[in-house]
């Protein structure tokens, strides 16, 4: 299975950040044999980033979408709009959206379906909080999120991102990642790509990416710098 190394820029990036994409393109030279590469910038940068990566091994994606195709939803962006802007994937249900915007599993599922309706592949995020892990509930929490968030159409990617590992420099043990990924695999198809996310860096990428049922990474902070992101791609 080809790995997917996906960068999530979150609410970071102005036009000047496209220089990092340009740098990444020159670092890559040619398409990596066994990895697909994706960058999900803020929606404002999507059209120019998509133009910048056209014809390169890098794809562009969105970070969120509304469930509807269009309508009276001030400030929202639809999957169809992201597609037209150049997206191939859309991240849905990131823990920051679940926490900051109260997104439920049901809403995340509807957003995943909206992405599919537009012909895009959703990257559906799940993951437990620190408290849930400490109580020994990580597997149960992830399991329930999967039951509620996965649409019927299996054209999706799943990202396991423990909330406490995001942006903190903390990473679960390799055994803990292996355990959750094998649980996710049981609930998904054999060909579904399962990403790990949470403080992935060039220094830990190789060991994380070699875990069974880890088919790529969702990278936040380290995707903002071309050299760091390239280091993670090289680890594949
Ligand atoms: P991080 O973020 O790599 O900065 O921990 C990952 C994510 O939130 O997708």
């Amino acid at each position: 299975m080809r790995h997917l190394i996906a960068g999530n820029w979150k609410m970071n990036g102005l036009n000047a950040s496209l220089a990092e994409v340009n740098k990444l393109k020159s670092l890559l030279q040619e398409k990596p044999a066994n990895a697909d590469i994706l960058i999900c910038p803020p929606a404002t940068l999507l059209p120019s980033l998509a133009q910048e990566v056209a014809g390169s091994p890098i794809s562009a994606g969105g970070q969120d979408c509304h469930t509807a195709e269009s309508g009276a939803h001030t400030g929202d962006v639809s999957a169809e709009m992201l597609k037209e802007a150049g997206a191939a994937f859309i991240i849905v249900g990131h823990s920051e959206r679940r926490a900051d915007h109260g997104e439920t599993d049901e809403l995340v599922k509807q957003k995943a379906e909206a992405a599919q309706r537009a012909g895009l592949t959703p990257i559906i995020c799940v993951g437990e909080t620190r408290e849930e892990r400490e109580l020994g509930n990580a597997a149960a929490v992830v399991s329930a999120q999967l039951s509620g968030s996965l649409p019927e159409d299996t054209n999706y990617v799943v990202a396991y991102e423990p909330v406490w590992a995001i942006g903190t420099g903390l990473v679960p043990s390799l055994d803990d990642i292996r355990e959750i990924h094998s649980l996710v695999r049981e609930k998904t198809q054999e060909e579904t790509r399962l990403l790990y996310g949470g403080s992935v860096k060039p220094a830990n990428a190789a060991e994380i990416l070699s875990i069974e049922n880890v088919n790529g990474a969702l990278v936040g902070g380290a995707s903002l710098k071309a050299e760091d992101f390239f280091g993670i791609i090289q680890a594949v």
Side-chain angles (χ1 to χ4, degrees):
M1 192 185 309
R2 288 178 68 76
H3 277 58
L4 174 63
I5 304 299
N8 171 15
W9 281 13
K10 311 193 178 184
M11 200 172 74
N12 297 294
L14 297 169
N15 278 329
S17 318
L18 295 176
E20 292 299 318
V21 180
N22 192 278
K23 202 191 280 178
L24 180 65
K25 274 198 320 190
S26 46
L27 287 169
L28 281 167
Q29 307 280 359
E30 58 194 60
K31 195 170 171 63
N34 46 4
D36 294 325
I37 302 158
L38 170 69
I39 298 177
C40 301
T44 47
L45 278 185
L46 190 52
S48 39
L49 190 140
Q51 213 165 12
E52 177 72 37
V53 301
S56 85
I58 308 165
S59 308
Q63 298 179 5
D64 174 50
C65 65
H66 194 276
T67 57
E69 198 173 330
S70 62
H73 305 290
T74 303
D76 279 313
V77 175
S78 73
E80 284 74 7
M81 292 169 177
L82 293 169
K83 181 177 187 191
E84 192 178 68
F89 292 80
I90 307 182
I91 299 168
V92 297
H94 189 281
S95 66
E96 285 151 16
R97 295 217 50 97
R98 290 177 184 261
D100 298 353
H101 300 272
E103 293 193 2
T104 61
D105 289 333
E106 178 56 31
L107 181 66
V108 172
K109 180 181 179 174
Q110 288 172 16
K111 289 186 173 199
E113 287 166 347
Q116 292 173 335
R117 177 191 67 218
L120 305 181
T121 303
I123 299 175
I124 302 165
C125 304
V126 296
E128 81 286 355
T129 62
R130 179 193 295 277
E131 194 186 5
E132 288 162 344
R133 173 152 292 270
E134 281 168 1
L135 289 170
N137 294 337
V141 167
V142 169
S143 206
Q145 287 176 331
L146 291 170
S147 304
S149 315
L150 297 184
E152 214 153 285
D153 177 344
T154 59
N155 177 31
Y156 49 69
V157 172
V158 175
Y160 167 55
E161 299 202 302
V163 179
W164 53 274
I166 294 176
T168 58
L170 301 172
V171 178
S173 72
L174 301 184
D175 279 342
D176 286 344
I177 297 177
R178 186 178 299 111
E179 185 197 333
I180 299 288
H181 273 253
S182 92
L183 174 153
V184 182
R185 176 63 72 212
E186 277 169 29
K187 295 181 175 291
T188 54
Q189 310 284 308
E190 210 178 304
E191 63 276 10
T192 300
R193 288 195 280 194
L194 310 183
L195 314 184
Y196 167 79
S199 298
V200 177
K201 305 273 181 285
N204 61 18
E207 57 179 15
I208 292 173
L209 291 170
S210 65
I211 299 171
E212 202 184 348
N213 290 313
V214 173
N215 316 114
L218 183 53
V219 184
S223 72
L224 295 170
K225 286 266 161 272
E227 272 118 12
D228 290 346
F229 199 45
F230 181 62
I232 294 169
I233 295 164
Q234 277 185 309
V236 180

